Amino acid sequence: MIALPQSSPRPGSAILGLGAYEPSRVISNDQMCQWIDSSDEWIRQRTGIVERRWAEPHETILAMAASAAQRALDHAGLTGDQLDGVIVATVTHLEQTPALAVRLAGALGCGPCPAWDISAACAGFCYGLAQADALVRSGVLGHVLVVAGDRLSDMTDLTDRSTAFLFADGAGAAVVGPSPSPRIGPVVWGSDPAQGPTIGQTLDWAEAVSQGRPAHLRMDGQPVFRWATTAMADATRRIMADSGLTPDQLDLFVPHQANNRITDSMLRHLRLPESVQVARSIQRLGNTSASSIPLAIDQLYRAGQVKEGATCLMVGFGAGLVYAGQVALLPAPATPARDQNQSPAAPERPAAPATEPPTLPHQQ
Ligand SMILES: CC(C)(COP(=O)(O)OP(=O)(O)OC[C@H]1O[C@@H](n2cnc3c(N)ncnc32)[C@H](O)[C@@H]1OP(=O)(O)O)[C@@H](O)C(=O)NCCC(=O)NCCS
């Protein structure tokens, strides 16, 4: 029997650096209401959104992804040529091929490393993190960049008051590398094809081309809301159980920023201790698809709410419907303190002193 050689497994992987990019153009709820029949009060009450950021023409997905990635590399103390793989999660890169990840690898000076895109909508960052973790732990790759980037504003119908106020743009990135112990926990992920029709495009690309009309996002909000509040609370419980953590060992809870009322409902189901810091970046950023989780973590860093080894439970969900989540122990804040779209920022309040982080189990 021929036995083929295998890569040598490593004891663990870790997030070594994180970065994010927020577009420059701020759209308030009042501005949004120029286009749709709604009100600032309705949008705040039903979603928690106060404003969102939309990319200017020069803030392409590639440009935003490259900025977020460079910040993550700086945080990790690495350069692009030290990367061994690039994964980009996006659903708004409007070319089917080539993959955006290949262009990003070129922009970062990565050399001839593997680079590929994944389509997992708002769960894309957690899907990418799961892939990177598995590839690093198995010894297949060394340092892997995971980037989530979307310009949902390109696909938003400004006459559709069931979606226009929700979606926004941005990018976030993480560098994953080898670690002497596991610092990224087991992923819990899945899909629910029966919910497929709830979120999609008004036209596929071929129809958009042949009809000369843009393809927009469409969503049946209520079933998505109901699904998210129950299924995502259940997924979060499983992520916690699989990570071996008890709720009092959790520092940060970062759910996909889809709607503050979904987050509130999950919290009612989960009964997390008050000590857990819950991400609420939707107020400033809206729903930024796959980048919502790294953007929310970046906001927590900038607020001084992340200490070295902080246990962070992430859970993303979106069109498919698909979902994914895991716990990761976060790296120390970068020094000097960072400012958004500059590099890591002045804490609004001091981070708690570092304590010995819990050990996460391997994915079986
Ligand atoms: C989209 C969403 C905010 C809508 O909130 P909702 O509470 O479900 O609102 P409904 O669709 O039930 O509409 C409630 C009322 O507000 C009205 N309404 C709908 N959109 C409105 C708007 N933009 N402004 C003002 N009123 C609006 C409706 O006409 C309805 O009026 P009625 O009671 O007189 O019939 C909510 O369903 C949601 O967040 N869904 C999940 C979205 C999500 O997680 N997406 C994930 C994508 S990754």
Side-chain angles (χ1 to χ4, degrees):
M1 174 89 78
I2 295 173
L4 297 174
Q6 299 286 300
S7 50
S8 305
R10 297 193 178 92
S13 78
I15 295 177
L16 306 178
L18 283 152
Y21 182 86
E22 294 180 5
S24 49
R25 185 177 171 205
V26 178
I27 308 285
S28 68
N29 286 342
D30 284 336
Q31 282 171 283
M32 175 57 59
C33 295
Q34 296 168 9
W35 300 302
I36 55 169
D37 177 17
S38 189
S39 67
D40 174 48
E41 188 189 6
W42 191 94
I43 297 171
R44 283 182 196 233
Q45 282 181 356
R46 305 302 263 205
T47 68
I49 297 171
V50 174
E51 60 190 25
R52 74 283 294 140
R53 276 144 181 81
W54 282 358
E56 296 283 8
H58 69 278
E59 293 170 311
T60 61
I61 306 176
L62 177 61
M64 294 193 294
S67 293
Q70 190 56 56
R71 287 175 192 135
L73 284 165
D74 291 347
H75 190 189
L78 294 170
T79 51
D81 59 348
Q82 292 174 295
L83 290 172
D84 303 295
V86 176
I87 302 171
V88 173
T90 182
V91 287
T92 51
H93 177 50
L94 299 180
E95 290 170 58
Q96 294 281 277
T97 193
L100 185 63
V102 179
R103 293 196 189 153
L104 179 62
L108 295 171
C110 295
C113 71
W116 67 100
D117 290 355
I118 56 175
S119 175
C122 305
F125 181 75
C126 295
Y127 267 74
L129 196 57
Q131 290 187 357
D133 165 55
L135 290 165
V136 171
R137 276 192 297 106
S138 63
V140 171
L141 294 177
H143 290 95
V144 180
L145 176 70
V146 179
V147 181
D150 271 306
R151 281 174 55 114
L152 291 178
S153 63
D154 287 342
M155 290 187 67
T156 298
D157 178 357
L158 281 181
T159 65
D160 178 3
R161 74 171 187 161
S162 66
T163 57
F165 57 94
L166 279 174
F167 296 124
D169 308 333
V175 176
V176 176
S179 164
S181 62
R183 292 172 75 86
I184 299 175
V187 66
V188 169
W189 52 359
S191 61
D192 189 345
Q195 299 290 331
T198 57
I199 308 178
Q201 297 184 196
T202 51
L203 304 170
D204 67 30
W205 298 133
E207 290 168 332
V209 169
S210 67
Q211 296 177 23
R213 293 194 290 140
H216 288 130
L217 289 166
R218 51 150 192 79
M219 183 181 68
D220 198 358
Q222 281 191 3
V224 179
F225 190 99
R226 280 195 298 274
W227 179 90
T229 50
T230 50
M232 289 307 94
D234 180 53
T236 302
R237 273 193 213 96
R238 285 188 283 141
I239 295 165
M240 183 89 80
D242 287 4
S243 71
L245 297 186
T246 52
D248 61 307
Q249 289 178 297
L250 190 63
D251 295 314
L252 309 169
F253 176 46
V254 185
H256 170 48
Q257 301 292 292
N259 187 324
N260 259 347
R261 289 193 295 132
I262 294 177
T263 301
D264 291 340
S265 169
M266 288 169 75
L267 290 172
R268 281 194 295 277
H269 282 95
L270 293 167
R271 297 169 185 265
L272 296 177
E274 295 223 334
S275 57
V276 178
Q277 187 73 44
V278 180
R280 299 277 189 182
S281 60
I282 194 169
Q283 288 164 302
R284 291 178 51 248
L285 301 175
N287 178 344
T288 57
S289 186
S291 63
S292 92
I293 287 177
L295 277 163
I297 295 173
D298 185 70
Q299 183 167 305
L300 293 172
Y301 267 108
R302 287 185 290 116
Q305 290 165 344
V306 184
K307 63 178 194 268
E308 180 173 13
T311 50
C312 176
L313 192 158
M314 301 162 268
V315 60
F317 59 91
L321 297 179
V322 294
Y323 64 93
Q326 58 273 90
V327 172
L329 310 184
L330 297 185
T335 49
R338 76 172 151 190
D339 195 4
Q340 220 296 321
N341 294 356
Q342 297 280 313
S343 187
E348 285 163 20
R349 69 180 203 201
T355 50
E356 195 57 38
T359 306
L360 296 177
H362 284 290
Q363 183 98 38
Q364 294 301 313

